């Protein structure tokens, strides 16, 4: 009986201590609000976004979610009466929130109102001076101005762009086009498109059997052309997985051909663009794509509740993915891994199957550790894994996306050997070094915030295209046989002459 009573007091004590912790109240005025999304007249993106950091009455930031949600409203007038908007507040679970929103057509006299428990937050309401246009309106700004308004670094400040372009100081397509086509017009094995941007119009001609992925570049160029005046330029885009412009061999004599690709590699000269996946989710933010670099930061699985294991799901597109299944069977207490789909190694499905039901990407973050293993080339989930709040283990790889060169091992992720030989040891290390692990996760998120959000994806394309256009010495012309990519927009910035109202 006494024991039970003591136990009850003990629980009560714990409860009281928690209750004390809970009365940490948010000081609405002291909260911090920052980001281009509070200047939507200047910074135009598919979804505008900004950040809120909760601060308590003692001036301390929260390390977990604030007790209540922040309420955000976009007020204003539009051609249809009240400004139509859609707002999404993403709680990152660390005392910070991402607020993103879209508006339809245009809105005037916009006010962004942020409240916490009824009280205005920081300098809310934020008054927006000029009209706010939807990104779906055709409103190209001067390129330099767009880059300035969106804090885009110039190409010269980007390691990867400079590295990719260092073999292409002066490109004369009139001189190399014929040989380039001889080399890469191989419909059975190569799919590529020639793009020309001229006076804000987009033209292309594709070669190869599988050219469906051209839709991604079409929509990227169209989206960029709605917000910025693009330089006249042309480029060849590889639609396949593998980089094309191989080092060594023939290229030693002819010089490398400039090919744009979504994946770069140590043994090629391909010029890397942000992947179609990352770009699509930036261009379609709050549109038809559900998983993007903002939504993936929504905290659904607090650290304390995560399983202390490494998690992986994916296709059988590389031998090491099968090797991982072997490891997970040997060390089920450390790794939960399964193949979702057999295609490349169908004859080994018996051994490495059965396939498992689909797990939504957000569910991955129920686990403390995430594994990034190459597919046919780099695994394009890597940026999304970095943005989540789990530790990412990355397989060593000759393949890379446009941002890898800015990452540092053990600062932003934990590397493991290509043949997985040290993976188990690394996972065990992580289980014993929680403090360091959480520091790496924190750094990864900071990296994402500085490099991989929709704004940065726009910036990277524009900086690269601007620099690229400077290096083209032959006149840019629309070639016979090219198809015009149809523009898509729902409104203009310059309002058409208003007819006499009746
Ligand atoms: C919300 O505001 C009310 C009164 O203004 C206050 O009593 C209450 O403690 C606040 N709640 C939180 C969670 O801040
Ligand atoms: C580009 O190449 C073409 C064909 O070889 C040549 O006629 C032209 O002069 C070159 N242009 C420049 C600027 O080098
Ligand atoms: C592996 O993960 C899946 C999805 O979270 C879960 O349903 C399953 O029970 C896990 N397997 C083991 C052995 O823990
Ligand atoms: C794995 O690769 C490393 C080199 O990175 C090599 O030293 C080691 O022998 C390999 N292990 C196996 C089992 O192949």
């Amino acid at each position: 009986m006494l024991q039970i009573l003591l136990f009850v007091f003990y629980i009560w004590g714990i409860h009281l201590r928690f209750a004390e912790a809970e009365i940490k109240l948010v000081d609405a005025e002291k909260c911090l609000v920052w980001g281009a999304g509070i200047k939507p007249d200047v910074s135009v993106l598919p979804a505008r976004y900004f950040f809120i950091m909760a601060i308590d009455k003692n001036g301390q930031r929260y390390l977990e979610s604030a007790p209540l949600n922040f309420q955000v409203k976009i007020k204003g007038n539009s051609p249809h009466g009240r400004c139509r908007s859609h707002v999404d507040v993403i709680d990152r679970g660390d005392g910070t929130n991402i607020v993103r929103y879209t508006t339809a057509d245009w809105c005037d006299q916009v006010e962004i109102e942020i409240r916490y428990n009824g009280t205005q937050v920081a300098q809310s309401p934020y008054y927006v001076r000029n009209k706010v246009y939807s990104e779906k309106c055709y409103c190209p700004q001067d390129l330099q101005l767009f880059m300035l308004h969106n804090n885009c670094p110039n190409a010269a400040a980007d390691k990867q762009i400079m590295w990719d372009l260092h073999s292409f100081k002066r490109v004369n397509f009139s001189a190399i086009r014929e040989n380039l086509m001889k080399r890469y017009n191989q419909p059975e094995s190569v799919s590529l498109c020639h793009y020309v941007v001229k006076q804000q119009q987009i033209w292309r001609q594709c070669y190869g059997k599988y050219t469906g992925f051209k839709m991604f570049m079409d929509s990227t160029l169209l989206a960029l052309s709605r917000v910025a005046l693009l330089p006249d330029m042309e480029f060849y885009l590889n639609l396949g997985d593998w980089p094309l412009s191989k080092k060594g061999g023939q290229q030693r004599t002819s010089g490398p051909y400039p090919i744009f690709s979504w994946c770069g590699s140590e043994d090629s000269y391909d010029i890397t663009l942000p992947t179609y996946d990352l770009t699509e989710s930036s261009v379609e933010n709050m549109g038809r794509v559900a998983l993007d670099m903002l939504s993936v930061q929504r905290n659904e699985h607090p650290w304390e509740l995560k399983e202390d294991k490494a998690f992986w799901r994916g296709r059988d597109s590389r031998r090491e993915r099968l090797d991982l299944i072997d490891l997970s069977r040997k060390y089920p207490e450390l790794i939960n891994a399964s193949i979702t789909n057999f295609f490349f190694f169908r004859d080994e499905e018996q051994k490495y199957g059965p396939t498992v039901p689909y797990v939504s990407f957000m569910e991955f973050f129920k686990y403390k550790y995430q594994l990034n293993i190459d597919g046919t080339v780099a695994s394009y989930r890597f940026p999304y894994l970095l943005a989540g709040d789990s530790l990412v283990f990355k397989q060593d790889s000759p393949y890379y996306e446009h941002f890898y060169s800015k990452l540092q091992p053990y600062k932003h992720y934990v590397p493991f050997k290509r043949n997985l030989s040290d993976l188990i040891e690394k996972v065990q290390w992580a289980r014993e070094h929680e403090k360091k692990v959480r520091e790496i996760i924190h750094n990864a998120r900071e990296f994402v915030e500085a490099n991989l959000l929709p704004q940065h994806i726009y910036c990277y394309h524009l900086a690269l295209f601007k620099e690229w256009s400077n290096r083209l010495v032959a006149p840019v012309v629309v070639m016979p046989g090219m198809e015009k990519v149809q523009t898509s927009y729902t409104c203009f910035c310059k309002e058409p002459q208003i007819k006499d109202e009746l």
Side-chain angles (χ1 to χ4, degrees):
M1 185 63 198
L2 185 63
Q3 260 175 346
I4 290 177
L5 212 60
L6 281 178
F7 182 69
V8 167
F9 278 126
Y10 177 67
I11 294 288
W12 199 21
I14 289 180
H15 183 77
L16 277 181
R17 262 186 286 139
F18 271 120
E20 271 164 34
E22 271 165 24
I23 50 176
K24 236 173 41 163
L25 291 178
V26 169
D27 188 330
E29 249 178 62
K30 285 202 195 113
C31 292
L32 303 177
V33 172
W34 73 96
I38 46 179
K39 292 186 181 159
D41 51 345
V42 173
S43 167
V44 185
L45 286 175
R48 268 83 162 190
Y49 55 90
F50 59 86
F51 303 85
I52 306 174
M53 182 186 280
I55 303 287
D56 70 19
K57 297 281 183 204
N58 300 321
Q60 302 290 315
R61 67 167 288 187
Y62 284 73
L63 298 174
E64 66 292 313
S65 298
L68 300 176
N69 293 330
F70 288 88
Q71 307 289 329
V72 179
K73 282 195 187 132
I74 311 297
K75 298 178 168 175
N77 305 316
S78 81
H80 317 286
R82 290 226 319 254
C83 178
R84 284 182 296 159
S85 65
H86 178 41
V87 180
D88 179 24
V89 180
I90 296 165
D91 182 346
R92 295 201 279 187
D94 60 357
T96 66
N97 293 262
I98 300 173
V99 179
R100 59 177 178 166
Y101 61 95
T102 57
T103 55
D105 303 325
W106 53 260
C107 297
D108 207 1
Q109 295 166 312
V110 171
E111 271 176 47
I112 302 171
E113 189 187 84
I114 311 168
R115 287 180 186 269
Y116 181 86
N117 194 17
T119 310
Q120 300 268 14
V121 169
Q123 280 88 53
S124 170
Y126 293 84
Y127 297 102
V128 179
R129 192 177 309 159
N130 303 305
K131 251 186 201 170
V132 173
Y133 289 95
S134 154
E135 175 268 347
K136 294 278 180 288
C137 297
Y138 185 79
C139 308
Q141 297 179 22
D142 171 76
L143 180 60
Q144 202 56 48
L145 212 55
F146 180 93
M147 292 181 70
L148 194 71
H149 288 157
N150 290 283
N151 291 323
C152 297
N154 277 314
D158 192 285
K159 215 163 131 181
Q160 189 65 46
I161 295 180
M162 283 299 112
W163 175 250
D164 283 350
L165 297 189
H166 93 282
S167 306
F168 307 107
K169 298 211 160 51
R170 226 177 142 266
V171 178
N172 184 346
F173 272 118
S174 302
I176 63 171
R177 190 184 317 282
E178 201 177 314
N179 284 331
L180 187 151
M181 283 318 294
K182 248 189 232 157
R183 173 81 183 75
Y184 295 113
N185 189 2
Q186 302 172 25
E188 290 303 317
S189 56
V190 175
S191 297
L192 91 168
C193 294
H194 177 207
Y195 278 91
V196 164
V197 177
K198 177 134 178 142
Q199 289 171 348
Q200 217 50 8
Q201 295 188 336
I202 297 149
W203 302 79
R204 70 160 141 65
Q205 184 163 17
C206 294
Y207 305 85
K209 241 178 159 172
Y210 306 104
T211 61
F213 275 37
K214 64 177 181 265
M215 70 175 187
F216 293 113
M217 183 48 74
D218 290 359
S219 64
T220 304
L221 289 171
L222 288 174
L224 294 173
S225 77
R226 287 193 294 269
V227 299
L229 290 170
L230 302 178
D232 287 356
M233 61 166 179
E234 63 180 305
F235 60 87
Y236 287 81
L237 173 72
N238 166 24
L239 300 181
D241 286 345
W242 289 279
L244 285 180
S245 195
K246 289 281 177 211
K247 286 184 180 167
Q250 184 177 35
Q251 303 233 13
R252 265 185 305 206
T253 46
S254 65
Y257 292 115
I259 302 280
F260 285 54
S261 280
W262 286 306
C263 182
S265 69
E266 283 162 10
D267 64 350
S268 76
Y269 290 104
D270 290 42
I271 298 161
T272 43
L273 284 166
T275 64
Y276 59 85
D277 190 296
L278 193 52
T279 306
E280 168 87 345
S281 76
S282 304
V283 170
E284 282 298 326
N285 210 279
M286 288 185 85
R288 65 171 180 267
V289 175
L291 179 77
D292 59 73
M293 293 299 288
L294 300 177
S295 68
V296 73
Q297 298 188 49
R298 203 182 308 270
N299 179 267
E300 294 181 353
H301 305 288
W303 181 260
E304 293 71 26
L305 302 181
K306 286 180 198 272
E307 282 202 49
D308 205 9
K309 280 187 194 181
F311 188 76
W312 184 85
R313 291 288 181 275
R315 300 188 303 156
D316 63 338
S317 44
R318 179 168 294 274
R319 170 58 67 185
E320 291 97 45
R321 291 183 166 196
L322 304 183
D323 298 341
L324 179 68
I325 303 304
D326 280 334
L327 275 182
S328 75
R329 286 178 182 163
K330 202 163 161 203
Y331 300 95
E333 72 287 4
L334 296 180
I335 299 178
N336 181 330
S338 296
I339 303 274
T340 52
N341 193 2
F342 282 88
F343 177 78
F344 296 85
F345 298 95
R346 278 209 186 107
D347 49 330
E348 295 181 61
E349 183 162 357
Q350 281 292 342
K351 183 164 177 215
Y352 294 105
T355 58
V356 294
Y358 171 80
V359 177
S360 92
F361 194 73
M362 294 308 281
E363 295 285 296
F364 282 34
F365 299 109
K366 274 193 343 208
Y367 295 82
K368 283 187 180 171
Y369 317 115
Q370 305 295 328
L371 303 177
N372 191 79
I373 300 191
D374 284 355
T376 49
V377 287
S379 172
Y380 295 168
R381 73 181 71 177
F382 190 42
Y384 302 97
L385 291 179
L386 289 172
D389 53 355
S390 297
L391 177 68
V392 187
F393 291 82
K394 183 189 173 299
Q395 182 191 26
D396 291 338
S397 169
Y399 297 110
Y400 52 80
E401 295 177 53
H402 78 283
F403 62 93
Y404 290 15
S405 60
K406 299 182 192 87
L407 289 168
Q408 290 170 35
Y410 297 107
K411 180 170 180 196
H412 302 108
Y413 66 91
V414 173
F416 61 90
K417 292 214 168 87
R418 193 149 182 78
N419 62 15
L420 318 191
S421 60
D422 60 349
L423 178 58
I424 292 302
E425 174 190 319
K426 295 269 164 90
V427 175
Q428 272 160 346
W429 171 87
R431 282 162 62 121
E432 288 153 18
H433 294 83
E434 168 156 342
K435 190 156 169 272
K436 180 72 182 164
V437 163
R438 299 201 67 176
E439 188 185 311
I440 298 175
I441 295 171
H442 177 77
N443 294 339
R445 281 200 144 182
E446 276 192 342
F447 181 89
V448 165
E449 196 174 318
N451 295 284
L452 294 176
L453 300 188
Q455 177 181 27
H456 310 115
I457 302 306
Y458 271 66
C459 286
Y460 195 92
H461 281 95
L462 292 173
L464 173 59
F465 288 153
K466 181 163 172 269
E467 183 59 32
W468 181 243
S469 71
N470 288 338
R471 293 173 186 231
L472 303 181
V473 299
V476 174
V477 290
V478 177
M479 312 277 288
M482 286 194 131
E483 189 183 341
K484 186 170 173 205
V485 179
Q486 287 309 317
T487 48
S488 66
Y489 47 81
T490 56
C491 52
F492 281 103
C493 263
K494 295 218 175 55
E495 288 144 59
Q497 288 298 316
I498 296 169
K499 297 198 185 75
D500 283 349
E501 276 176 60
L502 296 174

